[in-house]
Amino acid sequence: MRTKLPLCCLIFYFFISIRTSVSQKLEIKSYVTGINQPIDIKNCGDDRLFIADRAGRIRIISSDTLNAVPFLNITSKISSTSSEEGFLGIAFSPDYKISRKFYVNYTANIGSQLTTIIEEYTTSPADSNVADPASALIILSQAQPFSNHNGGNMMFGPDGYLYINFGDGGSGGDPAGNGQNADTLLGKILRIDVSNSSVASRYLIPPSNPFSASAPPVKKEIWAFGVRNPWRSSFDRITGDLWIADVGQSKVEEIDFQAAGIAGGRNYGWNIVEGDSCYSPSNGCNKTGITMPVYEYFHNGFSQSITGGYVYRSVQSKSLFGMYIFGDYIQEFIDGFILNGSGTGGSITHLLTAVQIIRNPISFGEDRYGDMYVVFGGINTVFKMQDSSTTRRPKAFFTPVLQGNGTYLLTGLQGRNVGYKWLKDGNVIPGAIDPDFIVSTVGTYSLVLTNSIGFSDTSAVFAFGALHVGLKNFSATRRSSVIAEVEWQTASDQNIRSFAIQRKMNNESIFLNIAIVQKGATIPGRQGQYLFIDSGASANSIFYRLEIRNIDGSVTYSDIRFISGIGFKQFLLYPNPVRGQINFSLSTQSPVELIIYDYAGRKVKQQKLAQQTGMISLFGLSGIYFFSLSENGIELGKQKIVVQ
C-alpha cells in the first residue's frame, strides 16, 4: 500500500481528522510525570516500564509510580541534548532475566569527534532496579559527520539479534551518499549477535546477514540500507514483521515494512528516492531493486517529521488491534492503518489531531501486555494510549503451538482486568479460564474474552483433528530438495474469499503467510481443486496449513501437514522461543545425546533421547541456550533456543 494524503488545505485535513478521531474514541491519559525530556519507552518482560531521557538517565515506572532513584545515569557521557544528539534509545536482551544485560544508544564527544555509542550494561545482582555502571562495555561506535540524523532506535528481533538504526550522517540530502554505500554503517539498519558479548568479542555477525560473506570494506553488520533517518522502528510482537519509520528530506515521510521470514538486504532507496518519488536525480531515477514504502504522506508545503510506533496488540481494544500506530513530531498528529493479508490496501485512520494531543509525539512504547504509551517533546510526562469508548470490545486472540505428543497449546494473549473462557464445539469447557489451553481431543475450539465493562469477543475457531468444514482434502508433498506441492479441494467455496498458504520451517514458532490464492483460481478442468507450488521448501522440516478467509471477514484453519527433508538425518526442536518444555522430533531410531549449553558455554543439562518424539523439561532455565544433539559421538547439529 502506498497511500498518499490528498492535495488539500490544512483546514480540510484538520476537519477530516477531527471527524474520524471522534469515532475511534482513542485518548491519551497522563500516566506518570516527573521525567525531564523523555525520549524512549521500553519494557524488560515484567510489569515495569523503563523511560530514557535525553540527558542520559533511565527511570523506572513500577506499580504506576516513578522510582526516585534512576536505573542508570550516564549524563557525564552525553555529548549534548541540542540538535538531534543525546541519549537516544534502550533495548533489553531477550534473556534479560538471566543475563541482566541491556543496551543503550547515545552520542558522545570522543576527542573532537561526535560519535554514536552502542553500550552494554548489566543490572546489579543485588538490586534489579539499579544498573551496575562499572559493567559498561562499548559494543560498537560510529563517527557522526554532522549533529543530525543519528537514528537511535534499538530493538531485539524475534530471532534474538540486536537491530540498530543509523541515520545517513546528517546535513541534508545525504551529501556523502551513505545510504547507498555498503562501506559505511550510516544510512543502515544493522543486525548483530550480542548473546556472547565480551571484551574479547563484542559481537558476532549472524551468518544469515545479507553481507556476512562479503569482503571488506563492505560492512557485514548491515541488514537493510537506503534509509535517511529511521527514527523509530518496531517488530510486531505477534507476527514478527518489521516496521521502519523513516524521516523525509523535504517532500515525503515514509513507513517501510519487511514481513517476518524475509531475507535481509532490502534497499529502501534513499537518496535515489524519497518515498517512492525520485530525489537524486529529481526525475527519471532508476528504481530497480528498491523496496518502496507501504505508506507515505507528502509535506504539501508544511514541515513534517514522522515518529514510528507499534502495531497495537493489546487485548483491550478490538477496533485498534492490528493497527500500526505512528505520529508526526512537527504536525502533531497520531494516525494508524492496517495492512490487509497481501500487504497492500487499507486506509489511514486519523486517531488524534494537534488539538487533541499535548505537543510533539517523539516516541512510542509498549508494555508486556501490548498496551501503548507515548511521550512528547518538552513534556515531562508519560501518557498511556487507550480506547475510551463506553462500548469498546476486547480482542480474543490465541496462537496454536504444536506439541511433541501431537496436542496443541493454545496460547491466548494476556491482559489486565479481562476474563477468559474456552469453548469446544461452541460449548463452555468447565474450569478452562486461563489464557492458555491444551487441546488433545477432536473438536473446534475458540476463546471468549470479557473486559471490565462487560463486553466480550470470540476468537477465530481452531479445528483439531479434522479438515475445515469446507475442505474435502488437503495435502503437502515434497517433489525435490527445494520444491513442495500444496494441494487442496473444497466441498464448497461459496462463502470463501481467499486462501492464505501458511508455512512454518524447522524450529520457527509461528506460521507465516507465503502466498494468497483467490477463490476460483483452481486447476484447469478440476472443480474445486487448488494447487500451490512452493519453490522455497529447502528446510529440513516444513509445516503447512491453510488459513481460509471467509467473505464475512472471519478466518478458519485447516489441519496441519508436515513434510521432511530428503536423504539426511534431521532433528526438530520446537517451538522457539519456548516456555517450560520443548518438543523434539528425530529421524533416527538410535539413542541421541542432548547437551544444553548456556550463553557462556557452560553445560547446564545432558540427557539421552531414546524416543523419536517427546518433550524435554526446561524447568529453571530462562534466556538464550545452545542445544547440541549427537548420535554415536557424531554431532547432528546445534540450535540456538530462547527460553522464556
Side-chain angles (χ1 to χ4, degrees):
M1 177 187 72
R2 297 202 298 274
T3 306
K4 304 177 183 179
L5 291 184
L7 294 172
C8 60
C9 66
L10 185 60
I11 295 175
F12 180 71
Y13 171 80
F14 174 79
F15 170 75
I16 294 296
S17 299
I18 287 286
R19 184 174 63 183
T20 55
S21 296
V22 170
S23 68
Q24 290 298 314
K25 297 296 184 182
L26 179 70
E27 69 173 10
I28 53 172
K29 182 178 180 181
S30 178
Y31 184 57
V32 168
T33 191
I35 303 171
N36 185 39
Q37 290 188 287
I39 193 70
D40 199 12
I41 308 168
K42 292 290 172 61
N43 76 83
C44 68
D46 59 25
D47 287 340
R48 296 176 295 174
L49 278 182
F50 293 76
I51 316 298
D53 69 35
R54 287 191 69 187
R57 290 173 290 262
I58 301 176
R59 306 290 299 277
I60 293 178
I61 299 175
S62 181
S63 301
D64 302 338
T65 302
L66 181 66
N67 289 6
V69 178
F71 176 67
L72 178 70
N73 186 339
I74 56 170
T75 53
S76 62
K77 297 184 176 184
I78 304 300
S79 61
S80 168
T81 58
S82 62
S83 184
E84 297 175 12
E85 300 175 40
F87 195 128
L88 301 177
I90 54 177
F92 289 88
S93 175
D95 68 341
Y96 176 73
K97 290 182 180 179
I98 300 298
S99 70
R100 309 190 315 279
K101 290 182 179 181
F102 67 97
Y103 300 81
V104 298
N105 183 326
Y106 63 91
T107 59
N109 287 318
I110 308 299
S112 60
Q113 176 64 59
L114 180 66
T115 304
T116 289
I117 301 294
I118 308 301
E119 196 167 43
E120 175 188 282
Y121 286 88
T122 58
T123 304
S124 167
D127 187 348
S128 63
N129 289 322
V130 178
D132 177 8
S135 65
L137 174 66
I138 294 179
I139 296 295
L140 183 150
S141 63
Q142 169 64 48
Q144 297 289 154
F146 299 95
S147 62
N148 59 338
H149 300 186
N150 300 312
N153 192 80
M154 291 193 306
M155 56 195 173
F156 280 89
D159 51 20
Y161 297 128
L162 179 62
Y163 291 72
I164 307 168
N165 291 8
F166 271 105
D168 64 8
S171 186
D174 192 11
N178 291 324
Q180 296 297 314
N181 183 2
D183 298 353
T184 176
L185 302 181
L186 298 174
K188 311 297 189 300
I189 309 294
L190 311 185
R191 179 182 185 246
I192 59 176
D193 183 354
V194 292
S195 59
N196 290 298
S197 55
S198 66
V199 173
S201 177
R202 309 301 170 106
Y203 62 88
L204 299 175
I205 302 298
S208 52
N209 273 18
F211 301 106
S212 64
S214 299
V218 171
K219 301 299 183 182
K220 301 174 184 288
E221 295 90 343
I222 296 172
W223 177 252
F225 62 102
V227 290
R228 180 180 178 273
N229 190 27
W231 171 232
R232 287 292 183 243
S233 303
S234 62
F235 284 98
D236 185 327
R237 63 195 295 148
I238 288 180
T239 66
D241 298 332
L242 172 60
W243 297 79
I244 306 166
D246 198 8
V247 179
Q249 177 67 40
S250 57
K251 185 178 181 180
V252 183
E253 303 298 304
E254 71 180 82
I255 296 171
D256 299 312
F257 174 83
Q258 181 175 354
I262 301 299
R266 288 195 166 192
N267 179 7
Y268 292 110
W270 177 250
N271 68 351
I272 299 171
V273 293
E274 180 185 3
D276 66 356
S277 301
C278 289
Y279 180 82
S280 180
S282 58
N283 293 291
C285 61
N286 184 0
K287 298 182 181 180
T288 303
I290 294 176
T291 299
M292 295 302 171
V294 294
Y295 177 75
E296 62 181 15
Y297 59 97
F298 285 81
H299 292 193
N300 293 332
F302 303 100
S303 296
Q304 304 202 2
S305 179
I306 195 168
T307 297
Y310 291 81
V311 176
Y312 187 89
R313 292 301 187 185
S314 170
V315 300
Q316 301 297 339
S317 176
K318 185 172 184 176
S319 65
L320 295 174
F321 192 84
M323 179 179 290
Y324 177 72
I325 297 176
F326 65 99
D328 191 283
Y329 180 80
I330 295 179
Q331 288 300 311
E332 301 178 5
F333 62 74
I334 294 177
D335 284 358
F337 63 89
I338 298 176
L339 292 180
N340 66 21
S342 61
T344 60
S347 58
I348 195 71
T349 300
H350 303 305
L351 297 169
L352 295 171
T353 67
V355 173
Q356 298 165 304
I357 63 178
I358 307 302
R359 277 181 65 177
N360 319 81
I362 197 169
S363 198
F364 295 87
E366 59 180 3
D367 61 22
R368 63 173 297 199
Y369 299 105
D371 292 317
M372 283 186 63
Y373 301 79
V374 61
V375 290
F376 300 91
I379 303 295
N380 68 349
T381 301
V382 177
F383 293 84
K384 188 172 185 178
M385 302 170 61
Q386 57 192 34
D387 185 342
S388 62
S389 170
T390 57
T391 58
R392 65 183 179 275
R393 293 188 176 276
K395 174 63 178 181
F397 184 91
F398 63 86
T399 301
V401 181
L402 181 63
Q403 306 296 291
N405 57 1
T407 65
Y408 276 87
L409 174 65
L410 307 184
T411 304
L413 286 182
Q414 297 188 25
R416 299 181 180 92
N417 303 315
V418 290
Y420 298 84
K421 182 169 59 178
W422 288 95
L423 309 181
K424 177 185 178 184
D425 300 328
N427 300 312
V428 174
I429 303 173
I433 57 174
D434 295 325
D436 297 347
F437 184 75
I438 295 178
V439 169
S440 58
T441 58
V442 173
T444 57
Y445 294 83
S446 56
L447 173 64
V448 176
L449 201 67
T450 304
N451 63 16
S452 59
I453 58 175
F455 288 93
S456 298
D457 181 51
T458 302
S459 70
V461 172
F462 175 74
F464 177 69
L467 287 171
H468 173 270
V469 68
L471 294 180
K472 296 175 70 173
N473 59 62
F474 171 49
S475 63
T477 307
R478 182 179 287 281
R479 296 305 183 194
S480 74
S481 61
V482 296
I483 294 177
E485 292 182 351
V486 180
E487 192 169 1
W488 66 99
Q489 184 176 15
T490 59
S492 170
D493 56 13
Q494 179 179 353
N495 297 316
I496 295 173
R497 176 167 55 90
S498 62
F499 305 88
I501 294 91
Q502 299 187 332
R503 183 181 67 193
K504 183 172 68 171
M505 305 205 307
N506 290 341
N507 61 345
E508 293 174 345
S509 60
I510 60 174
F511 280 93
L512 303 175
N513 291 344
I514 60 171
I516 304 296
V517 176
Q518 299 299 325
K519 179 179 71 174
T522 57
I523 301 172
R526 299 174 66 179
Q527 182 69 29
Q529 195 78 28
Y530 294 81
L531 175 66
F532 171 74
I533 298 176
D534 181 11
S535 59
S538 58
N540 295 5
S541 304
I542 305 179
F543 300 88
Y544 293 98
R545 75 176 179 188
L546 293 178
E547 181 183 78
I548 296 93
R549 299 177 175 182
N550 302 309
I551 292 176
D552 64 1
S554 64
V555 298
T556 50
Y557 296 93
S558 71
D559 250 357
I560 293 172
R561 296 293 179 259
F562 168 78
I563 61 174
S564 62
I566 296 176
F568 50 80
K569 293 181 178 178
Q570 55 139 341
F571 68 89
L572 180 63
L573 297 170
Y574 60 95
N576 185 19
V578 63
R579 289 186 297 180
Q581 57 188 13
I582 195 166
N583 308 295
F584 68 86
S585 177
L586 307 172
S587 65
T588 176
Q589 299 287 347
S590 304
V592 170
E593 185 84 17
L594 167 71
I595 302 177
I596 303 176
Y597 300 92
D598 67 11
Y599 67 96
R602 296 175 297 232
K603 185 188 301 183
V604 297
K605 188 180 182 72
Q606 182 173 358
Q607 73 179 76
K608 292 280 189 182
L609 305 180
Q611 298 176 320
Q612 287 187 285
T613 61
M615 296 183 185
I616 303 163
S617 172
L618 302 179
F619 178 77
L621 300 185
S622 180
I624 296 177
Y625 295 88
F626 295 91
F627 286 55
S628 172
L629 284 90
S630 59
E631 179 186 7
N632 298 323
I634 300 174
E635 188 174 69
L636 299 176
K638 184 180 292 183
Q639 286 184 220
K640 182 171 75 172
I641 304 291
V642 178
V643 184
Q644 299 176 331

